[in-house]
């Protein structure tokens, strides 16, 4: 793990140093909903991340055990990225971000459907999603 120099003892400040920039959270988002992604999959997202930023964020997330790499089963030249247990544990935070945005802004229809399901039983949703993400 890359040692992160704490700016303060504040847990929010420390966690933002590891996964809090917008690109890292989008990588985590993609892995939560796609389960596995290749480098080129990340480049295809509508946010249009630059390759140098993507490479940097993947290294940081991997060295801090948020994501892991594995061989692609169909192409040895490709790498698949997936969340580690530590990364999967960000799911409740990602849910709360979505709920906050829904409260104050418009969101896509598919996201509304997901949030409707979450609101019925948030803990059950988290448990189910965590189980799915842990399957290797």
């Amino acid at each position: 793990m890359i040692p992160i120099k704490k700016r303060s003892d504040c847990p929010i400040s420390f966690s933002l140093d590891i996964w809090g920039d917008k690109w890292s959270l989008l990588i985590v988002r993609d892995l939560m909903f796609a389960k596995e992604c290749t480098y080129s999959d990340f480049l295809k997202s509508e946010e249009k991340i630059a390759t140098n930023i993507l490479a940097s964020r993947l290294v940081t997330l991997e060295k801090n055990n948020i994501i892991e790499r594995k061989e692609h089963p169909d192409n040895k030249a490709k790498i698949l990225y997936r969340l580690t247990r530590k990364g999967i544990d960000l799911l409740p935070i990602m849910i709360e971000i979505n709920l906050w945005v829904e409260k104050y802004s418009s969101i896509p229809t598919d996201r509304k459907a997901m949030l409707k399901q979450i609101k019925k039983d948030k803990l059950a949703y988290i448990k189910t999603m965590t189980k799915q993400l842990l399957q290797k």
Side-chain angles (χ1 to χ4, degrees), residues 4-67:
I4 302 289
K5 184 178 179 187
K6 288 185 179 183
R7 288 181 276 186
S8 71
D9 288 331
C10 174
I12 294 171
S13 175
F14 179 68
S15 62
L16 289 175
D17 287 336
I18 298 171
W19 51 259
D21 69 275
K22 69 179 179 181
W23 296 115
S24 294
L25 280 176
L26 292 174
I27 290 167
V28 170
R29 174 209 60 193
D30 290 349
L31 291 172
M32 281 191 178
F33 295 106
K35 198 169 179 184
E36 296 178 329
C37 291
T38 63
Y39 192 88
S40 62
D41 292 334
F42 292 119
L43 291 175
K44 293 174 189 170
S45 75
E46 66 182 270
E47 291 86 10
K48 305 292 185 214
I49 188 170
T51 58
N52 62 324
I53 293 171
L54 176 57
S56 170
R57 296 315 184 271
L58 289 172
V59 167
T60 299
L61 290 169
E62 184 179 9
K63 291 197 176 190
N64 284 282
N65 299 315
I66 303 295
I67 65 171

Side-chain angles (χ1 to χ4, degrees), residues 101-119:
V101 171
E102 180 193 38
K103 184 175 180 178
Y104 295 104
S105 185
S106 61
I107 59 172
T109 304
D110 64 327
R111 196 58 55 98
K112 285 181 186 179
M114 178 192 78
L115 292 177
K116 185 176 181 181
Q117 183 183 5
I118 289 169
K119 289 176 186 176

Side-chain angles (χ1 to χ4, degrees), residues 113-131:
M114 178 192 78
L115 292 177
K116 185 176 181 181
Q117 183 183 5
I118 289 169
K119 289 176 186 176
K120 286 180 186 176
D121 190 344
K122 192 186 303 184
L123 292 177
Y125 182 87
I126 291 169
K127 184 177 179 180
T128 300
M129 277 290 292
T130 298
K131 186 177 179 179

Side-chain angles (χ1 to χ4, degrees), residues 61-62 66-70 80-84 136:
L61 290 169
E62 184 179 9
I66 303 295
I67 65 171
E68 62 187 2
R69 300 160 48 121
K70 70 177 205 174
L80 280 173
Y81 294 91
R82 63 180 293 125
L83 293 170
T84 62
K136 296 188 180 204

